[in-house]
Amino acid sequence: MALLSVHNLSVAIGSVSPLDGIGFTLEKGEVLGLVGESGSGKSLTATTVMGLLPRLGGRVTQGAIHFDGHDLTQLPERAYRRLRGRRIALISQNPMTSLDPILPIGPQVEQPARLHLGLSESAARDRAIGLMEQLRIPEAATVYRQYPHQLSGGMKQRIVIAMALMADPDLIIADEPTTALDVTIQAQIVQILADLVADRGLALLLITHDMGVVAQICDRVTVLYAGRVAESAPVRAIFAAPQHPYTRALIGCIPQENQPRGSLRGIPGTVPGVKDYPSGCRFHPRCAIAGPICQTEVPPRLLSERAEIACWKPGEMPHV
Ligand SMILES: Nc1ncnc2c1ncn2[C@@H]1O[C@H](COP(=O)(O)OP(=O)(O)O)[C@@H](O)[C@H]1O
Ligand SMILES: [Mg+2]
């Protein structure tokens, strides 16, 4: 059975419905990439799995989130607090959402192990420094006593990863963990995450808008567009034969090596706001092959054992 399985999940915040029947599964030891442009619903998916939707004034209106056999949508907040940071940890785009600027690094990293595992001060300290060393933070014992502002962005993100690992979680959700970092540091952090999955057998839900990162470490990919799943498939299949025009467009955005700098090919148009979702297939106004039915009818979800696609013209190529 999958460690995490999201099924037909819809979310409402006030009068808007930013997630509409999304689903995906994630096994132990696997990296699932959740991809899509800004505004697709990636962060809200993370927020919902973490049980933090009520803090945004949102609620689950349909579907289920099975984690290790339990439906998290039915979990009382008290039980969620035991799960969050213990069995499921979140790493966000900006390390400063997790770090307190006025406290030294050490006690912050230790906190999840003190809280969830009941470790003593000295045991937590040893564990924290050990993890920091494993994440190749130079002079970990010194960094332990420093304050966040004394560290670079890449080091701060390593600290946040150490913090996420402190209580030995089964699942890490990383929401664009490298977006704020420069390219070399990005690659290092992505490699650290990949090593953690391989060494510890944990599951990683990696949220990114970068198909290059997906190619680097993901086993499978779920592509979100405007609050719905466009396509899910193993990473090799996604790159070898993308079925959804949106997936193809995202892959087309990966900068090529021989491409002049600054000539990044974007996808024309933008993701609509949640109040302006079009009828039919929500991608149709930007789709090169959309036909009349795409404008009016929601595409069926075509399911196979490992893949899912929601398109009226799967696999069809645009005329060039
Ligand atoms: N608290 C909120 N209230 C209302 N709408 C929201 C809220 N948070 C996000 N949204 C909307 O939900 C959609 C998805 O947002 P988000 O999950 O942040 O996208 P992504 O992480 O893929 O960029 C967007 O249209 C966004 O405006
Ligand atoms: Mg986001």
Coordinates of all heavy atoms in Angstrom, one line a residue, residues 33-37 206-218 220-224 231 233-235 237-240 242 244 246-255 267:
G33 N 7.4 14.2 -7.9 CA 7.5 15.6 -8.2 C 6.0 16.1 -8.4 O 5.3 15.5 -9.2
L34 N 5.7 17.2 -7.8 CA 4.4 17.9 -8.0 C 4.8 19.2 -8.7 O 5.4 20.1 -8.2 CB 3.7 18.1 -6.6 CG 2.3 18.6 -6.7 CD1 1.4 17.5 -7.3 CD2 1.8 18.8 -5.2
V35 N 4.4 19.2 -10.0 CA 4.9 20.3 -10.8 C 3.7 21.1 -11.4 O 2.6 20.6 -11.5 CB 5.8 19.9 -11.9 CG1 7.0 19.1 -11.4 CG2 5.1 19.0 -13.0
G36 N 4.0 22.3 -11.9 CA 3.1 23.2 -12.5 C 3.5 24.6 -12.2 O 4.3 24.9 -11.3
E37 N 3.0 25.5 -13.1 CA 3.4 26.9 -12.9 C 2.9 27.5 -11.6 O 2.0 26.9 -11.0 CB 2.9 27.8 -14.1 CG 3.5 27.5 -15.4 CD 2.6 28.0 -16.5 OE1 1.5 27.3 -16.8 OE2 2.8 29.1 -17.1
L206 N 8.2 16.3 -3.7 CA 9.0 17.5 -4.1 C 8.2 18.4 -5.0 O 7.9 18.1 -6.1 CB 10.2 17.0 -4.8 CG 11.2 18.2 -5.3 CD1 11.8 18.8 -4.0 CD2 12.3 17.6 -6.2
I207 N 7.9 19.6 -4.5 CA 7.1 20.6 -5.2 C 8.1 21.5 -5.9 O 9.0 22.0 -5.3 CB 6.2 21.4 -4.3 CG1 5.2 20.5 -3.6 CG2 5.6 22.6 -5.0 CD1 4.3 21.1 -2.6
T208 N 7.9 21.6 -7.2 CA 8.8 22.5 -8.0 C 8.1 23.0 -9.3 O 7.1 22.3 -9.7 CB 10.1 21.7 -8.4 OG1 10.9 22.5 -9.2 CG2 9.8 20.4 -9.1
H209 N 8.6 24.1 -9.8 CA 8.0 24.4 -11.2 C 9.1 24.1 -12.2 O 9.0 24.5 -13.4 CB 7.6 25.9 -11.2 CG 8.7 26.8 -10.9 ND1 8.9 27.4 -9.6 CD2 9.8 27.3 -11.6 CE1 10.0 28.1 -9.6 NE2 10.5 28.1 -10.8
D210 N 10.2 23.4 -11.8 CA 11.4 23.3 -12.6 C 11.5 21.8 -13.1 O 11.8 20.9 -12.3 CB 12.6 23.6 -11.8 CG 13.9 23.6 -12.6 OD1 13.9 22.9 -13.6 OD2 14.8 24.2 -12.1
M211 N 11.2 21.6 -14.4 CA 11.2 20.2 -14.9 C 12.7 19.6 -14.9 O 12.9 18.4 -15.0 CB 10.6 20.1 -16.3 CG 9.1 20.3 -16.4 SD 8.2 19.0 -15.4 CE 7.8 17.8 -16.7
G212 N 13.6 20.5 -14.9 CA 15.0 20.1 -14.8 C 15.3 19.4 -13.5 O 15.9 18.3 -13.4
V213 N 14.8 20.0 -12.4 CA 14.9 19.3 -11.1 C 14.1 18.0 -11.1 O 14.6 17.0 -10.5 CB 14.3 20.3 -10.0 CG1 14.2 19.6 -8.6 CG2 15.2 21.5 -9.8
V214 N 13.0 18.0 -11.7 CA 12.2 16.7 -11.8 C 13.1 15.6 -12.5 O 13.2 14.5 -12.0 CB 10.9 16.9 -12.6 CG1 10.2 15.6 -12.9 CG2 10.0 17.8 -11.8
A215 N 13.7 16.0 -13.6 CA 14.5 15.0 -14.3 C 15.7 14.5 -13.4 O 16.1 13.4 -13.5 CB 15.1 15.6 -15.6
Q216 N 16.2 15.4 -12.6 CA 17.3 15.1 -11.7 C 17.0 14.0 -10.7 O 17.7 13.1 -10.4 CB 17.9 16.4 -11.1 CG 19.3 16.2 -10.5 CD 19.7 17.5 -9.8 OE1 19.2 18.6 -10.0 NE2 20.7 17.3 -8.9
I217 N 15.8 14.2 -10.0 CA 15.6 13.2 -8.8 C 14.3 12.5 -8.7 O 14.1 11.7 -7.9 CB 15.9 13.9 -7.5 CG1 14.9 14.9 -7.0 CG2 17.3 14.4 -7.4 CD1 15.0 15.2 -5.5
C218 N 13.3 12.9 -9.5 CA 12.0 12.3 -9.3 C 11.8 10.9 -9.9 O 12.4 10.6 -10.9 CB 10.9 13.2 -9.8 SG 10.8 14.7 -8.8
R220 N 8.5 9.7 -10.1 CA 7.2 9.9 -10.8 C 6.9 11.4 -10.7 O 7.4 12.1 -9.9 CB 6.1 9.0 -10.2 CG 6.3 7.6 -10.6 CD 5.2 6.7 -10.2 NE 4.8 6.9 -8.8 CZ 3.6 7.3 -8.4 NH1 2.7 7.6 -9.3 NH2 3.4 7.5 -7.2
V221 N 5.9 11.8 -11.5 CA 5.5 13.2 -11.6 C 4.0 13.3 -11.7 O 3.4 12.5 -12.4 CB 6.1 13.8 -12.9 CG1 5.9 15.3 -12.9 CG2 7.5 13.5 -13.2
T222 N 3.5 14.3 -10.9 CA 2.1 14.7 -11.1 C 2.1 16.1 -11.5 O 2.7 17.0 -10.9 CB 1.3 14.5 -9.8 OG1 1.2 13.1 -9.5 CG2 -0.1 15.1 -9.9
V223 N 1.5 16.4 -12.7 CA 1.5 17.8 -13.2 C 0.1 18.4 -12.9 O -0.9 17.8 -13.2 CB 1.6 17.8 -14.8 CG1 1.6 19.2 -15.3 CG2 2.9 17.1 -15.2
L224 N 0.2 19.5 -12.2 CA -1.1 20.2 -11.8 C -1.3 21.4 -12.7 O -0.3 22.1 -13.1 CB -1.0 20.7 -10.4 CG -1.2 19.8 -9.2 CD1 -1.3 20.7 -7.9 CD2 -2.4 19.0 -9.3
E231 N -1.7 15.5 -15.7 CA -1.1 14.2 -16.0 C -0.2 13.7 -14.9 O 0.4 14.5 -14.2 CB -0.2 14.4 -17.3 CG 0.5 13.2 -17.7 CD 1.1 13.3 -19.2 OE1 1.1 14.4 -19.7 OE2 1.6 12.3 -19.7
A233 N 2.6 10.4 -14.2 CA 3.3 9.3 -14.9 C 4.7 9.1 -14.3 O 5.2 10.0 -13.7 CB 3.4 9.5 -16.4
P234 N 5.3 7.9 -14.5 CA 6.7 7.7 -14.2 C 7.6 8.7 -14.9 O 7.2 9.1 -16.1 CB 7.0 6.3 -14.6 CG 5.7 5.6 -14.7 CD 4.7 6.7 -15.1
V235 N 8.7 9.2 -14.3 CA 9.4 10.3 -14.9 C 9.9 10.0 -16.3 O 9.9 10.8 -17.1 CB 10.5 10.7 -13.9 CG1 11.7 9.8 -13.9 CG2 11.0 12.1 -14.2
A237 N 8.6 8.1 -18.6 CA 7.5 8.2 -19.5 C 7.1 9.6 -19.8 O 6.9 10.0 -20.9 CB 6.3 7.4 -19.0
I238 N 7.2 10.4 -18.7 CA 6.8 11.9 -18.9 C 7.8 12.5 -19.9 O 7.3 13.3 -20.7 CB 6.9 12.6 -17.5 CG1 5.6 12.3 -16.7 CG2 7.1 14.1 -17.7 CD1 4.4 13.2 -17.0
F239 N 9.1 12.2 -19.8 CA 10.0 12.9 -20.7 C 10.0 12.2 -22.0 O 10.2 12.9 -23.0 CB 11.4 13.0 -20.0 CG 11.5 14.0 -19.0 CD1 11.4 13.7 -17.6 CD2 11.7 15.4 -19.3 CE1 11.5 14.7 -16.6 CE2 11.7 16.4 -18.3 CZ 11.6 16.0 -17.0
A240 N 9.8 10.9 -22.1 CA 9.9 10.2 -23.4 C 8.7 10.5 -24.2 O 8.7 10.7 -25.4 CB 10.1 8.7 -23.2
P242 N 5.4 12.7 -23.3 CA 4.4 13.4 -22.5 C 3.1 13.4 -23.3 O 3.0 13.6 -24.5 CB 5.0 14.9 -22.5 CG 6.0 14.9 -23.6 CD 6.5 13.5 -23.7
H244 N 0.0 15.1 -22.2 CA -0.8 16.3 -22.1 C -0.1 17.5 -22.7 O 1.1 17.6 -22.5 CB -1.1 16.6 -20.6 CG -2.2 17.5 -20.4 ND1 -2.2 18.8 -20.7 CD2 -3.5 17.3 -19.9 CE1 -3.3 19.4 -20.4 NE2 -4.2 18.5 -19.9
Y246 N 0.0 20.4 -21.8 CA 0.6 21.2 -20.8 C 2.0 20.6 -20.3 O 2.9 21.4 -20.1 CB -0.3 21.4 -19.6 CG 0.2 22.3 -18.5 CD1 0.6 23.6 -18.8 CD2 0.3 21.9 -17.2 CE1 1.1 24.5 -17.9 CE2 0.8 22.7 -16.2 CZ 1.2 24.0 -16.6 OH 1.7 24.8 -15.6
T247 N 2.0 19.3 -20.2 CA 3.3 18.7 -19.8 C 4.3 18.9 -20.9 O 5.5 19.3 -20.5 CB 3.0 17.1 -19.7 OG1 1.9 16.9 -18.9 CG2 4.2 16.5 -19.0
R248 N 3.9 18.8 -22.1 CA 4.9 19.1 -23.2 C 5.4 20.5 -23.2 O 6.6 20.7 -23.4 CB 4.2 18.8 -24.6 CG 4.3 17.4 -25.0 CD 4.1 17.3 -26.5 NE 2.8 17.8 -27.0 CZ 1.7 17.2 -26.9 NH1 1.7 15.9 -26.5 NH2 0.6 17.7 -27.3
A249 N 4.5 21.4 -22.9 CA 4.9 22.8 -22.8 C 5.9 23.1 -21.7 O 6.9 23.8 -21.8 CB 3.7 23.7 -22.6
L250 N 5.6 22.4 -20.5 CA 6.5 22.6 -19.4 C 7.9 22.0 -19.7 O 8.9 22.6 -19.4 CB 6.0 21.8 -18.1 CG 4.9 22.4 -17.3 CD1 4.5 21.5 -16.2 CD2 5.3 23.8 -16.8
I251 N 7.9 20.9 -20.4 CA 9.2 20.3 -20.8 C 9.9 21.2 -21.8 O 11.2 21.4 -21.7 CB 9.0 18.9 -21.3 CG1 8.5 17.9 -20.2 CG2 10.3 18.3 -22.0 CD1 8.1 16.5 -20.7
G252 N 9.2 21.8 -22.6 CA 9.7 22.8 -23.6 C 10.4 24.0 -22.9 O 11.1 24.7 -23.5
C253 N 10.0 24.2 -21.6 CA 10.6 25.4 -20.9 C 11.9 25.1 -20.3 O 12.6 26.0 -19.8 CB 9.6 25.8 -19.8 SG 8.1 26.5 -20.4
I254 N 12.4 23.9 -20.3 CA 13.7 23.6 -19.7 C 14.8 24.2 -20.6 O 14.8 23.9 -21.8 CB 14.0 22.0 -19.6 CG1 12.9 21.3 -18.8 CG2 15.3 21.8 -19.0 CD1 13.0 19.8 -18.7
P255 N 15.6 25.0 -20.0 CA 16.6 25.7 -20.9 C 17.6 24.6 -21.5 O 18.0 23.7 -20.8 CB 17.4 26.6 -19.9 CG 16.7 26.6 -18.6 CD 15.8 25.4 -18.6
I267 N 5.6 29.5 -21.6 CA 4.3 29.1 -22.2 C 3.5 30.4 -22.3 O 3.4 31.1 -21.3 CB 3.6 28.1 -21.3 CG1 4.5 27.0 -20.9 CG2 2.3 27.6 -22.0 CD1 3.9 26.0 -19.9

